[in-house]
Each structure stands twice: as C-alpha cells, then as structure tokens.
Amino acid sequence: MKNPSIENPPVENQAPPGTLARIADVDALRAVALLLILVVNIAFFASGYPFHLVVDPAHDSWGDQAVRWLVELLFTMKAYLLFAFLFGYSFTLQIDSAARRGVDFVPRFRRRLAGLFVLGILHAVLLFQGDILTTYASLGLILLAMRRVAVGTALRVAVLLTGGIGFVLALAATGGTQLVADPATALAAAQRSTEALQGGIGSLIAEHVRQLPAMFGTLLVQGPLALSAFLFGYAAGRRRLLTDVAANRLLLRRVQQLGYPIGLAGAVIFASGGGTANLTGLTAGVLTAPLLAAAYAATLLQFFQTDQGRRAVAVLAPAGRMSLSNYLGQSLLCVLVFTGVGLGLAGAVAPPVVVLIAVAIYGVQLAASAVWMARFRYGPVEWLLRAWTEQRWPRLRAADPT
C-alpha cells in the first residue's frame, strides 16, 4: 500500500552532458512506478474494507477475487519498493549536483525533508491516510547520516534490514499471531469506514485521523523495507548502475534470472495466503518482493534501450519528472471520484472497474504531464518544494533565460 518519490531536480541538473537520455530512462522508470502505486492505492479510496484487511462481501465474485489476487501478486509491496529504490538513487544525484555547484548539500536536504514531512501530514489528513511521505522524510535523515558509507556497507545493512523484518514476521507467524483477530468486528469497522468515505469533507478527514494509529503499525514493516530499498538505490547510484545500461546488461540479466523465479514464487505465496492480512504470506512477500521489484526495473531499463522503448520513454518521462505532483494528484482525483466530496462511489465499484479507473487516471496524468513539462521546468509541487529547499523562487518557465 502507498508510496511516492520526492521532488527531483530537472533533467538538465541531474547529469553531466551526454547522459540526458539515461536520466530520462530513470524518469520513465519512476513514471511506471507511479502507475503501479496507483493500481495498489486506489483500492483504499474505493472502499473502507482494505484498511481493515477484510474483503467487502458485496464484491466477492470470482472476477473480483481474481483482480485482487493479480494486484497482490504483481504489484503490492513491489511498487513502493521501486519508488524507494529510486529515492535512494536520486539522493546520490542530488549530492553530486550540489558538489558540482559548490553548495552545502546537508542543510538543503534537511529543508527538503522538512517540506516533504509537512506535505505528508497534509496528504494523510486531507486526502489519504496511507501516506508514506512522512516516512520517507524521517528515513531520509538516516540516509543523510549514511551518505559517506561504503557501497558494501550499504548493501549489507539493506540485506540485514530485510532479513530482520522477515525473521520477526516469521516468529510472529509461528507463534500464532493473527492480524485480523475477529473477522466479524473487522467487517463491521470496514463498513463504518466505507460509510465515512461516502460522507463530506468533515467525515473524510475524521476517518483519516481515526485510521492514522493503525497505519503506524503498517509502517513498522514498510519503514525498514523502504530504508533497505533506499540503501540499494544509494549503492546503485554510487556505482552509476543506471547511467550505462549497456555496460551493465549482464548484471541486469542476472537480476532477472534471480528475481523472477524467486520473486514470483514468493508473490504467489503472498497473494494466495491473503496478502498483507496473513503473516505467513506477508513474510514471504517481505523476503521476495525486493527481488521481483528489481527484476521489473532490470526488464524496463533494457526495454527502454530499444526503438519502442525510446518512444515509451518520451511518453513516460514527463510524468516521472513531476512524480510528487502526480502522486498527490492521484490522491486528489481518487478523492473526487470515490468519496462524498465528489462522486461518492466508495463501496459501489467492483475491483475490475476500480483498476480501469486507475488506468484512466494515469492516462490523464501522462497527457497533463507532457503538456506541463513542455512549458515548465518543474512540476507545481516540485517547484514549491524546491523554493522552500533553496529559500528562493526558482525559475519555473522552461523558456526563461538562464
């Protein structure tokens, strides 16, 4: 459930001459992650049941079950890890950019994290209690403190974090811990949450605030995994893994050869065991989702080197360059579609249609991003966050003189 990346510097400030196309590949990869995030998150706007880890009995046909199973198999726990990886990768680009320009990186990054934290609080209360921006901002301080560690050290810490969370979950599973202790109580609470989503802005905010304590428990798992992905991204950035796909093609193929069989096997256990509602399945997901997410990234990066892939990059990259605006925009559009603030469709739309709505929203965002980035240097929220970070108003229009 959930997740985004923070504001990213414009393409021309992220890489030295000759690497713009490669950075566009990373932006395109971020844009794909946006779609995966939306497909996962939209279920939590469409119904109050997913937050309580139970299935809406009104939408439990074989088709509904199949769609939910496929989303959990392919995207849940993979999408936000891909975003977190790119957060860590972009962190190294920002360090290098600051060094080239001779500016002090640390206070700027701290301000950026503070701005991100405030955005996350507003997002969680007004739009989506499943926000992870506040978690990213908090974990970003740890990443900042580790900015001088060796690549090997970062990788070892990342593996230990993932393995440690998996071990704790496995112990809880063998001990008989149940995430849904009383299904009847959970179903009743889910119905109340769905009714709250159907209400007006006051009802929506009250529901978001009411659910925030439960989300802290979720972040006990997601937080360490996100930090692990940060560190993998940091290591990739330090080794310039994504700036020369051709030179790293053998490594990327090995990632695919390892990631797909192990990652998909774990994903089958995760999805078939009830997803995040079952500790055994969740343990399998924690231990294998990073491998499947890495295989996705390796496949996409190699595809982007083909003629069709270059055309796909041209379509996707603008959305990736303004990923924070698009992430928040997804939540706003979902609120307008599903809650009583807008159309009030919460609880009334079956999972297959919910996924189609996600694809439609994403299509709108791709088109809007292309139009916006043709005229401006940053997305609207990225521009505001950059202004706070730099303590000045940066140029917004792409045609402004340098």
Side-chain angles (χ1 to χ4, degrees), residues 81-103:
L81 289 176
L82 182 55
F83 254 126
F85 171 85
L86 292 170
F87 183 106
Y89 185 85
S90 295
F91 175 75
T92 65
L93 298 180
Q94 293 162 21
I95 291 176
D96 293 344
S97 175
R100 287 196 302 273
R101 290 182 289 148
V103 300

Side-chain angles (χ1 to χ4, degrees), residues 38-183:
L38 178 57
V39 170
V40 173
N41 281 358
I42 196 169
F44 298 89
F45 292 94
S47 171
Y49 285 81
F51 268 113
H52 296 275
L53 304 179
V54 290
V55 173
D56 186 347
H59 300 295
D60 200 23
S61 69
W62 70 267
D64 299 332
Q65 293 176 23
V67 168
R68 278 192 291 263
W69 189 83
L70 285 172
V71 169
E72 295 203 330
L73 175 79
L74 298 174
F75 307 135
T76 303
M77 294 191 68
K78 296 85 177 173
Y80 87 89
L81 289 176
L82 182 55
F83 254 126
F85 171 85
L86 292 170
F87 183 106
Y89 185 85
S90 295
F91 175 75
T92 65
L93 298 180
Q94 293 162 21
I95 291 176
D96 293 344
S97 175
R100 287 196 302 273
R101 290 182 289 148
V103 300
D104 191 348
F105 172 75
V106 174
R108 289 166 56 88
F109 193 69
R110 286 175 178 164
R111 284 196 298 271
R112 177 173 296 174
L113 293 177
L116 193 68
F117 188 87
V118 172
L119 286 173
I121 293 294
L122 293 174
H123 182 227
V125 172
L126 298 177
L127 298 176
F128 183 43
Q129 67 268 44
D131 170 79
I132 205 173
L133 289 175
T134 51
T135 302
Y136 270 32
S138 302
L139 296 177
L141 292 173
I142 299 176
L143 187 62
L144 181 64
M146 297 181 67
R147 66 189 181 278
R148 293 190 179 93
V149 302
V151 168
T153 300
L155 291 175
R156 285 190 290 271
V157 172
V159 171
L160 287 173
L161 281 170
T162 302
I165 290 296
F167 179 72
V168 170
L169 291 174
L171 283 180
T174 56
T177 302
Q178 298 292 325
L179 295 177
V180 182
D182 184 352

Side-chain angles (χ1 to χ4, degrees), residues 324-336:
L324 179 57
S325 295
N326 279 321
Y327 171 74
L328 297 175
Q330 288 174 354
S331 294
L332 177 59
L333 289 173
C334 286
V335 164
L336 294 177

